[in-house]
Amino acid sequence: MEARVSRNEDHTRHNPSDVDVPIPGASSVEAPSLVEPIEPREPLPPKPDQDSPETVSPTGVPTGAAKTAVSQSGRFLTMAQGTRVRETDHSLKAGPRGPILLQDHHLREKITHFDHERIPERVVHARGAAAHGVFVANGAGVGVSKAGFLGAGTETPVFVRFSTVLGSRGSADTVRDTRGFATKFYSDEGTYDLVGNNIPVFFIQDGIKFPDVVHAAKPHPDREIPQAQSAHDTFWDFVSLHTEAQAHTMWNMSDRGIPRSFRTMEGFGVHTFRLVNEAGETTLVKFHWKPRQGVHSLVWEEAQIINGMDPDFHRRDLADTIEAGAYPQWDLGIQTFPDTPEEMFEGIDLLDPTKFVPEELAPVQIIGTMTLNANPTNYFAETEQVAFHPGHLVPGIDVTNDPLLQARLFSYIDTQISRLGGPNFSQLPINRPLTPVNDMLRDGMHQTAVHGGVAPYKPNSLDGGCPFLAGEDMNAYIEVPQELPASRKVRESPATFDDHFSQVGMFFRSLTQVEQDHVIQAYTFELGKCYEENIRIRQLQSLANIDERLCAEVAQGLGLPTPASTVTMEESAASPALSQIGKTWPIDGRIIGIIADESSDLESIDSVRQDIHAAGMVPLVIAPKGGKLGTSIVVQRTWLTARSTEFDAILVAGSSAPGSDATDSRDAKAGDPTGYASVDPRASLMLAEAYRHAKALGGWGNAANALAAAGVPSTAPGVVVGDDTSAVVEQLKVLLAQHRVWERFPAA
């Protein structure tokens, strides 16, 4: 076989001092323009360090063609058959506000191909964790929906899958990303899927753009990096050019993008849905999942440490808390709006998925509570094979003409056929309805049912006419009749979709100073990871149109000039409900680390553990080595295996003397930068990190010595030291109700 020849035909190595030495992550062959290019041209060539396979036939015969012959070619966007495309931002609809038409071949081809791009894991939401539970309705939803599972006291089994959007199955949990929040209700009227996110708005207004935003956010196709991150050029290239994405991007750059856990994460249905009651009256609604423990997040350094120390942090937390009996709970709520022909509310277009309705304008009404109380038995059979679909509806719940939702109604079922090997995915145990199924669907791959009868068609007499159609009085599903807004086929969006900045600025101004600083840090970090300066400049222009201070601070961090705003926006009232700070929350399920050793008073540790358990929290003992302290105190973590990021608070119950493995050769964390040789450096590291991340700290006995070794003043806010262990725990509970000791984060 002929050897492959290097692109450098002289085979010489560059001297490291040469100015032309390629730098990893260098700019493209041609720098991207500041504005969107509009002059048609051929695709750019590959970078000098890139190569492609030899061009051979399927049977291995060399073709002699250039390696670029199998790449994209031509100046214009085309369909798969080579037909040039005039418009790819809008689906073909029955008028600007009408439903998407099935005849839109470009939409179907684009999404069908996208849905089948990867096998076997999900294209998006590949990394997930799930749990079983029960939803109990309180009856408050009966007036707006005839859905049976909303009846007062009705208990409905559920299965919930949480996920990250961008990363592969092997990525980390605490990356900055949107989280999926999908709930399957096994109702006795059929299965209902509420398929949402932890952010109430989305990047795009029309589902035809979904392949574009995901292609931009996924790892670069040349290097397949960065994994599970938005801090790279292609993502910011897209969102800075497609400014309707600024709304979702702002939420992602806030603390919402790095949740503390799945159980402290809000959920949203994103779209506006239509409910119908027994009288046939309709109401437009948005769905909300409100965590009983409140909405809490990590700080950025915590998230980065966790990604290295425990990439399974969120799935482990969910499984561990359920196993410990600290069951996560969410209240399901709805915002309701009159079902008017305009489908607007207080100037907000309810069909625009990049907009949300502030809770001050439409309060969230609680209609039931969900409790997750059981972990899956088998990850693959349940978490991996569960198949959600926004079109899995029950009587009383209908869709609207939201163009993103309309495209999802096609995309999800198409995806499941690819992922799960055929059309019979609903027969997998996790997907089976808990109500009789007589669908006349037959055969196909992975058919596990053994159907009787000879007449899977309607009408028939050979099977006695079975199955029969159900009337409206028999809980049949009926789509709400609706007048179409126009009879002209167009690829357009209504003018009300054009405002891409005002709500984004309102969101930023609704946050506290600490949260705003976190947003500024996030934008500065993410844009600082982009190699192309014009992309950074272009995104700064969007920030200038959102908020003057935000833009100026990020520009300063990037070392770039601050642009002036190019739009005029009316400043809307802030929405305090958007802030995660300033309230108190139940402390159930909080993880408390207890640093202890053989010198500790074991009776006091046992008493503290009981107090923590009684408060619904989870105590974990951290000691120099595994096993037990004394005869009864089980050690769950050691100084080698523990890190501060796992705990919501840390208590010190011993001398924290160095362990036998406190050497650099055994554990690199065991270096002693503090000079306190009497305290294990890893204990000091845990306490210093927890203090820096504004977590509650405390202890008794020799705790003051360990805190001092970590540089933690015993008089600092959120530090509780005393001899009365019960009093220490009581003060700790007060601090944890606020999630963090926010006084330690002075405003910039």
Side-chain angles (χ1 to χ4, degrees):
M1 179 178 287
E2 189 174 307
R4 296 185 71 169
V5 180
S6 166
R7 283 180 180 267
N8 264 340
E9 294 186 1
D10 61 2
H11 304 288
T12 57
R13 293 182 178 273
H14 288 286
N15 186 300
S17 63
D18 288 351
V19 295
D20 63 342
V21 172
I23 300 173
S27 294
S28 306
V29 175
E30 177 181 308
S33 61
L34 182 58
V35 297
E36 181 178 3
I38 57 174
E39 186 65 30
R41 57 163 296 165
E42 293 291 326
L44 290 174
K47 291 183 178 182
D49 66 308
Q50 295 175 321
D51 204 351
S52 300
E54 302 291 341
T55 53
V56 297
S57 75
T59 56
V61 179
T63 65
K67 294 179 179 180
T68 54
V70 294
S71 183
Q72 297 287 313
S73 63
R75 295 179 295 162
F76 296 98
L77 177 66
T78 73
M79 296 189 211
Q81 303 303 314
T83 306
R84 290 183 178 178
V85 174
R86 181 183 65 85
E87 165 63 53
T88 192
D89 280 358
H90 300 93
S91 302
L92 188 64
K93 300 188 281 289
R97 303 182 64 79
I100 289 174
L101 300 180
L102 185 61
Q103 76 175 69
D104 190 348
H105 171 68
H106 177 44
L107 164 70
R108 289 186 288 113
E109 180 186 75
K110 185 175 180 180
I111 290 188
T112 295
H113 192 281
F114 170 76
D115 289 341
H116 297 258
E117 279 181 358
R118 289 175 178 83
I119 55 173
E121 73 176 31
R122 291 167 170 85
V123 179
V124 288
H125 299 277
R127 181 172 180 81
H132 296 273
V134 63
F135 174 79
V136 180
N138 62 16
V142 171
V144 291
S145 176
K146 62 182 180 181
F149 77 95
L150 296 180
T154 301
E155 295 189 12
T156 304
V158 297
F159 187 73
V160 181
R161 187 178 188 270
F162 305 101
S163 57
T164 53
V165 172
L166 297 181
S168 68
R169 278 189 61 191
S171 58
D173 278 353
T174 61
V175 294
R176 184 179 294 280
D177 195 3
T178 306
R179 288 346 188 251
F181 193 133
T183 307
K184 187 176 288 290
F185 295 82
Y186 300 95
S187 143
D188 59 8
E189 295 178 312
T191 298
Y192 169 55
D193 289 348
L194 179 54
V195 194
N197 289 332
N198 73 321
I199 290 175
V201 294
F202 203 63
F203 285 109
I204 53 175
Q205 295 168 325
D206 192 311
I208 199 170
K209 297 298 296 180
F210 194 65
D212 298 287
V213 66
V214 176
H215 285 165
K218 281 285 190 176
H220 288 213
D222 52 356
R223 286 169 167 77
E224 186 63 13
I225 56 174
Q227 176 62 239
Q229 299 175 58
S230 56
H232 56 94
D233 287 271
T234 58
F235 173 80
W236 289 99
D237 185 39
F238 177 84
V239 301
S240 61
L241 289 170
H242 207 66
T243 52
E244 69 191 50
Q246 293 294 322
H248 190 121
T249 303
M250 171 65 77
W251 281 76
N252 221 30
M253 293 303 105
S254 77
D255 291 344
R256 304 276 183 148
I258 44 175
R260 160 63 182 85
S261 65
F262 293 136
R263 54 198 170 86
T264 61
M265 193 173 77
E266 205 164 4
F268 303 91
V270 179
H271 309 287
T272 299
F273 292 85
R274 178 173 279 106
L275 301 187
V276 57
N277 63 15
E278 291 286 358
E281 300 164 328
T282 60
T283 306
L284 299 180
V285 304
K286 286 185 176 290
F287 289 104
H288 295 249
W289 286 114
K290 296 286 189 182
R292 286 277 182 99
Q293 291 180 274
V295 185
H296 306 301
S297 299
L298 301 167
V299 296
W300 183 228
E301 186 193 32
E302 263 189 303
Q304 291 174 306
I305 293 172
I306 293 169
N307 282 337
M309 289 293 297
D310 185 6
D312 304 307
F313 183 76
H314 282 157
R315 59 172 63 182
R316 188 189 313 281
D317 176 90
L318 178 67
D320 285 355
T321 51
I322 291 175
E323 185 178 15
Y327 300 140
Q329 289 186 310
W330 290 261
D331 290 326
L332 178 61
I334 52 174
Q335 288 177 297
T336 61
F337 319 101
D339 189 1
T340 62
E342 297 78 21
E343 296 167 309
M344 302 280 292
F345 181 79
E346 298 287 345
I348 300 168
D349 193 326
L350 297 175
L351 299 191
D352 182 351
T354 67
K355 303 294 192 300
F356 68 96
V357 179
E359 293 183 29
E360 290 76 13
L361 298 179
V364 175
Q365 306 168 49
I366 303 303
I367 60 175
T369 300
M370 177 174 70
T371 303
L372 297 185
N373 53 22
N375 288 310
T377 300
N378 182 278
Y379 182 91
F380 177 80
E382 299 167 272
T383 308
E384 186 62 20
Q385 291 196 129
V386 65
F388 295 96
H389 178 32
H392 290 165
L393 301 166
V394 292
I397 303 177
D398 200 0
V399 298
T400 60
N401 291 339
D402 175 337
L404 176 62
L405 175 58
Q406 290 271 313
R408 292 178 72 197
L409 295 174
F410 167 77
S411 177
Y412 275 67
I413 194 167
D414 188 46
T415 297
Q416 310 305 350
I417 291 172
S418 176
R419 286 196 62 249
L420 299 174
N424 292 306
F425 57 84
S426 62
Q427 295 182 15
L428 294 168
I430 193 63
N431 296 320
R432 291 175 186 167
L434 301 185
T435 187
V437 174
N438 196 344
D439 53 21
M440 294 198 302
L441 304 177
R442 293 294 185 269
D443 306 338
M445 294 182 66
H446 303 156
Q447 176 61 255
T448 58
V450 181
H451 293 106
V454 296
Y457 51 83
K458 289 288 293 181
N460 76 73
S461 63
L462 293 176
D463 283 348
C466 186
F468 297 91
L469 299 177
E472 187 172 0
D473 59 342
M474 302 174 188
N475 289 340
Y477 185 83
I478 298 177
E479 293 81 4
V480 177
Q482 186 184 17
E483 294 289 336
L484 294 181
S487 58
R488 191 166 59 96
K489 293 187 296 186
V490 295
R491 289 189 183 272
E492 298 175 9
S493 290
T496 47
F497 278 38
D498 291 343
D499 176 9
H500 298 165
F501 298 113
S502 60
Q503 269 208 351
V504 194
M506 183 267 281
F507 175 86
F508 180 74
R509 290 186 291 274
S510 298
L511 304 179
T512 63
Q513 187 78 35
V514 168
E515 292 168 299
Q516 288 185 0
D517 285 344
H518 291 172
V519 171
I520 291 167
Q521 175 203 41
Y523 273 109
T524 307
F525 176 89
E526 297 257 327
L527 292 170
K529 289 286 189 175
C530 293
Y531 296 117
E532 304 293 352
E533 184 170 295
N534 276 348
I535 291 174
R536 296 194 290 268
I537 294 172
R538 191 192 305 140
Q539 177 59 29
L540 282 174
Q541 183 59 65
S542 285
L543 296 186
N545 294 339
I546 293 168
D547 185 85
E548 182 179 357
R549 173 181 171 248
L550 170 64
C551 180
E553 296 279 359
V554 175
Q556 181 182 32
L558 297 174
L560 293 171
T562 304
S565 173
T566 58
V567 298
T568 301
M569 293 288 174
E570 292 186 14
E571 187 167 316
S572 53
S575 172
L578 297 174
S579 173
Q580 298 179 203
I581 297 178
K583 311 177 187 73
T584 58
W585 303 97
I587 58 175
D588 306 63
R590 294 308 182 103
I591 311 297
I592 313 300
I594 304 174
I595 294 178
D597 54 30
E598 295 293 346
S599 70
S600 303
D601 179 354
L602 301 186
E603 287 188 11
S604 66
I605 294 176
D606 191 53
S607 174
V608 166
R609 290 170 69 221
Q610 291 182 37
D611 288 346
I612 291 173
H613 266 303
M617 300 185 290
V618 180
L620 296 177
V621 174
I622 314 163
K625 61 182 180 180
K628 291 183 178 180
L629 295 176
T631 59
S632 60
I633 305 295
V634 176
V635 175
Q636 286 94 5
R637 301 289 187 271
T638 67
W639 291 341
L640 175 66
T641 62
R643 196 70 184 254
S644 69
T645 49
E646 183 177 4
F647 309 106
D648 295 292
I650 299 178
L651 299 175
V652 181
S655 65
S656 306
S660 60
D661 61 342
T663 63
D664 287 340
S665 62
R666 297 283 294 277
D667 187 354
K669 301 192 301 297
D672 186 13
T674 64
Y676 281 81
S678 62
V679 176
D680 193 292
R682 294 162 297 182
S684 297
L685 176 64
M686 273 191 283
L687 294 169
E689 280 181 352
Y691 181 77
R692 190 164 68 245
H693 298 154
K695 295 180 179 179
L697 298 171
W700 58 93
N702 294 322
N705 185 47
L707 291 167
V712 176
S714 58
T715 57
V719 179
V720 183
V721 178
D723 295 327
D724 185 342
T725 57
S726 295
V728 168
V729 172
E730 285 302 312
Q731 293 179 68
L732 187 73
K733 288 156 61 175
V734 173
L735 293 168
L736 284 171
Q738 304 172 68
H739 182 54
R740 293 186 193 271
V741 185
W742 296 112
E743 302 94 302
R744 293 201 211 128
F745 282 152

Short mmCIF file of all heavy atoms in Angstrom, two decimals, residues 470-495:
data_model
loop_
_atom_site.label_atom_id
_atom_site.label_comp_id
_atom_site.label_asym_id
_atom_site.label_seq_id
_atom_site.Cartn_x
_atom_site.Cartn_y
_atom_site.Cartn_z
N ALA A 470 -64.92 6.08 19.48
CA ALA A 470 -65.49 6.60 20.73
C ALA A 470 -66.08 7.98 20.48
O ALA A 470 -65.51 8.79 19.75
CB ALA A 470 -64.42 6.68 21.81
N GLY A 471 -67.17 8.25 21.11
CA GLY A 471 -67.77 9.57 21.02
C GLY A 471 -67.14 10.52 22.02
O GLY A 471 -66.37 10.13 22.90
N GLU A 472 -67.50 11.80 21.89
CA GLU A 472 -66.94 12.80 22.81
C GLU A 472 -67.33 12.50 24.25
O GLU A 472 -66.59 12.81 25.18
CB GLU A 472 -67.42 14.19 22.40
CG GLU A 472 -66.76 15.31 23.18
CD GLU A 472 -67.11 16.68 22.64
OE1 GLU A 472 -67.88 16.76 21.66
OE2 GLU A 472 -66.62 17.68 23.20
N ASP A 473 -68.48 11.84 24.43
CA ASP A 473 -68.92 11.51 25.78
C ASP A 473 -68.21 10.27 26.33
O ASP A 473 -68.48 9.84 27.45
CB ASP A 473 -70.43 11.29 25.81
CG ASP A 473 -70.87 10.17 24.87
OD1 ASP A 473 -70.09 9.82 23.96
OD2 ASP A 473 -71.99 9.66 25.04
N MET A 474 -67.31 9.69 25.52
CA MET A 474 -66.55 8.51 25.95
C MET A 474 -65.06 8.83 26.05
O MET A 474 -64.21 7.96 25.87
CB MET A 474 -66.77 7.36 24.97
CG MET A 474 -68.22 6.97 24.78
SD MET A 474 -68.40 5.74 23.47
CE MET A 474 -70.18 5.66 23.32
N ASN A 475 -64.74 10.08 26.33
CA ASN A 475 -63.36 10.54 26.50
C ASN A 475 -62.51 10.40 25.23
O ASN A 475 -61.32 10.17 25.30
CB ASN A 475 -62.66 9.80 27.65
CG ASN A 475 -63.19 10.22 29.00
OD1 ASN A 475 -63.78 11.29 29.13
ND2 ASN A 475 -62.99 9.39 30.00
N ALA A 476 -63.14 10.55 24.07
CA ALA A 476 -62.36 10.56 22.83
C ALA A 476 -61.55 11.84 22.76
O ALA A 476 -61.98 12.90 23.26
CB ALA A 476 -63.29 10.47 21.62
N TYR A 477 -60.40 11.75 22.12
CA TYR A 477 -59.59 12.95 21.95
C TYR A 477 -60.12 13.74 20.76
O TYR A 477 -60.29 13.20 19.66
CB TYR A 477 -58.11 12.62 21.71
CG TYR A 477 -57.27 13.88 21.64
CD1 TYR A 477 -56.83 14.48 22.81
CD2 TYR A 477 -56.99 14.50 20.43
CE1 TYR A 477 -56.11 15.65 22.78
CE2 TYR A 477 -56.27 15.67 20.38
CZ TYR A 477 -55.84 16.26 21.56
OH TYR A 477 -55.14 17.43 21.52
N ILE A 478 -60.39 15.01 20.96
CA ILE A 478 -60.91 15.87 19.90
C ILE A 478 -60.07 17.14 19.85
O ILE A 478 -59.90 17.84 20.86
CB ILE A 478 -62.39 16.23 20.14
CG1 ILE A 478 -63.24 14.95 20.13
CG2 ILE A 478 -62.89 17.22 19.09
CD1 ILE A 478 -64.70 15.19 20.43
N GLU A 479 -59.51 17.43 18.66
CA GLU A 479 -58.78 18.68 18.49
C GLU A 479 -59.76 19.84 18.54
O GLU A 479 -60.87 19.77 18.00
CB GLU A 479 -58.03 18.70 17.15
CG GLU A 479 -56.89 17.69 17.06
CD GLU A 479 -57.33 16.28 16.73
OE1 GLU A 479 -58.55 16.08 16.48
OE2 GLU A 479 -56.47 15.38 16.71
N VAL A 480 -59.37 20.92 19.16
CA VAL A 480 -60.25 22.09 19.28
C VAL A 480 -60.42 22.71 17.90
O VAL A 480 -59.43 23.07 17.25
CB VAL A 480 -59.65 23.12 20.25
CG1 VAL A 480 -60.53 24.37 20.30
CG2 VAL A 480 -59.52 22.52 21.65
N PRO A 481 -61.66 22.85 17.40
CA PRO A 481 -61.86 23.52 16.10
C PRO A 481 -61.38 24.97 16.19
O PRO A 481 -61.61 25.65 17.19
CB PRO A 481 -63.38 23.45 15.89
CG PRO A 481 -63.85 22.37 16.81
CD PRO A 481 -62.93 22.39 17.97
N GLN A 482 -60.70 25.41 15.13
CA GLN A 482 -60.13 26.75 15.17
C GLN A 482 -60.16 27.35 13.77
O GLN A 482 -59.81 26.70 12.78
CB GLN A 482 -58.69 26.72 15.69
CG GLN A 482 -58.07 28.10 15.90
CD GLN A 482 -56.61 28.00 16.31
OE1 GLN A 482 -55.99 26.96 16.16
NE2 GLN A 482 -56.05 29.09 16.82
N GLU A 483 -60.59 28.61 13.69
CA GLU A 483 -60.55 29.31 12.41
C GLU A 483 -59.09 29.59 12.04
O GLU A 483 -58.30 30.04 12.87
CB GLU A 483 -61.30 30.64 12.52
CG GLU A 483 -62.80 30.50 12.75
CD GLU A 483 -63.52 29.98 11.52
OE1 GLU A 483 -62.98 30.16 10.41
OE2 GLU A 483 -64.61 29.38 11.68
N LEU A 484 -58.72 29.30 10.79
CA LEU A 484 -57.38 29.61 10.34
C LEU A 484 -57.27 31.10 10.05
O LEU A 484 -58.19 31.70 9.49
CB LEU A 484 -57.02 28.80 9.10
CG LEU A 484 -56.92 27.29 9.31
CD1 LEU A 484 -56.53 26.60 8.01
CD2 LEU A 484 -55.91 26.96 10.39
N PRO A 485 -56.13 31.72 10.42
CA PRO A 485 -56.03 33.18 10.31
C PRO A 485 -55.87 33.68 8.88
O PRO A 485 -56.05 34.86 8.63
CB PRO A 485 -54.77 33.50 11.13
CG PRO A 485 -53.98 32.23 11.11
CD PRO A 485 -54.98 31.11 11.07
N ALA A 486 -55.51 32.82 7.93
CA ALA A 486 -55.32 33.28 6.55
C ALA A 486 -55.42 32.09 5.63
O ALA A 486 -55.32 30.94 6.04
CB ALA A 486 -53.96 33.97 6.40
N SER A 487 -55.58 32.35 4.36
CA SER A 487 -55.66 31.26 3.39
C SER A 487 -54.52 31.34 2.38
O SER A 487 -54.56 30.68 1.36
CB SER A 487 -57.00 31.32 2.66
OG SER A 487 -57.16 32.58 2.01
N ARG A 488 -53.51 32.17 2.66
CA ARG A 488 -52.38 32.34 1.76
C ARG A 488 -51.18 31.58 2.28
O ARG A 488 -50.81 31.72 3.44
CB ARG A 488 -52.05 33.82 1.63
CG ARG A 488 -51.06 34.16 0.51
CD ARG A 488 -51.08 35.66 0.26
NE ARG A 488 -50.72 36.41 1.46
CZ ARG A 488 -49.48 36.85 1.72
NH1 ARG A 488 -48.51 36.62 0.86
NH2 ARG A 488 -49.23 37.52 2.82
N LYS A 489 -50.56 30.74 1.45
CA LYS A 489 -49.37 29.99 1.86
C LYS A 489 -48.17 30.93 1.84
O LYS A 489 -47.85 31.53 0.82
CB LYS A 489 -49.12 28.81 0.92
CG LYS A 489 -50.17 27.72 0.97
CD LYS A 489 -49.77 26.52 0.14
CE LYS A 489 -49.65 26.86 -1.34
NZ LYS A 489 -49.40 25.65 -2.16
N VAL A 490 -47.48 31.04 2.98
CA VAL A 490 -46.34 31.96 3.08
C VAL A 490 -45.25 31.34 3.95
O VAL A 490 -45.51 30.47 4.76
CB VAL A 490 -46.76 33.32 3.69
CG1 VAL A 490 -47.72 34.05 2.79
CG2 VAL A 490 -47.38 33.11 5.08
N ARG A 491 -44.03 31.81 3.77
CA ARG A 491 -42.93 31.51 4.68
C ARG A 491 -42.59 32.81 5.41
O ARG A 491 -41.64 33.52 5.07
CB ARG A 491 -41.71 30.97 3.92
CG ARG A 491 -41.88 29.57 3.36
CD ARG A 491 -40.57 29.02 2.81
NE ARG A 491 -40.74 27.70 2.20
CZ ARG A 491 -40.66 26.54 2.86
NH1 ARG A 491 -40.42 26.54 4.15
NH2 ARG A 491 -40.83 25.39 2.23
N GLU A 492 -43.38 33.11 6.41
CA GLU A 492 -43.23 34.36 7.16
C GLU A 492 -43.53 34.11 8.63
O GLU A 492 -44.10 33.09 9.00
CB GLU A 492 -44.21 35.42 6.63
CG GLU A 492 -44.01 35.84 5.19
CD GLU A 492 -45.09 36.80 4.73
OE1 GLU A 492 -45.88 37.27 5.59
OE2 GLU A 492 -45.15 37.08 3.52
N SER A 493 -43.16 35.08 9.44
CA SER A 493 -43.57 35.12 10.84
C SER A 493 -44.30 36.43 11.07
O SER A 493 -44.04 37.43 10.38
CB SER A 493 -42.37 35.02 11.77
OG SER A 493 -41.81 33.73 11.74
N PRO A 494 -45.21 36.48 12.05
CA PRO A 494 -45.90 37.75 12.32
C PRO A 494 -44.95 38.81 12.83
O PRO A 494 -43.89 38.52 13.39
CB PRO A 494 -46.94 37.35 13.38
CG PRO A 494 -46.41 36.10 13.99
CD PRO A 494 -45.65 35.40 12.92
N ALA A 495 -45.33 40.06 12.64
CA ALA A 495 -44.48 41.18 13.04
C ALA A 495 -44.21 41.17 14.54
O ALA A 495 -43.17 41.68 14.99
CB ALA A 495 -45.14 42.50 12.63
#
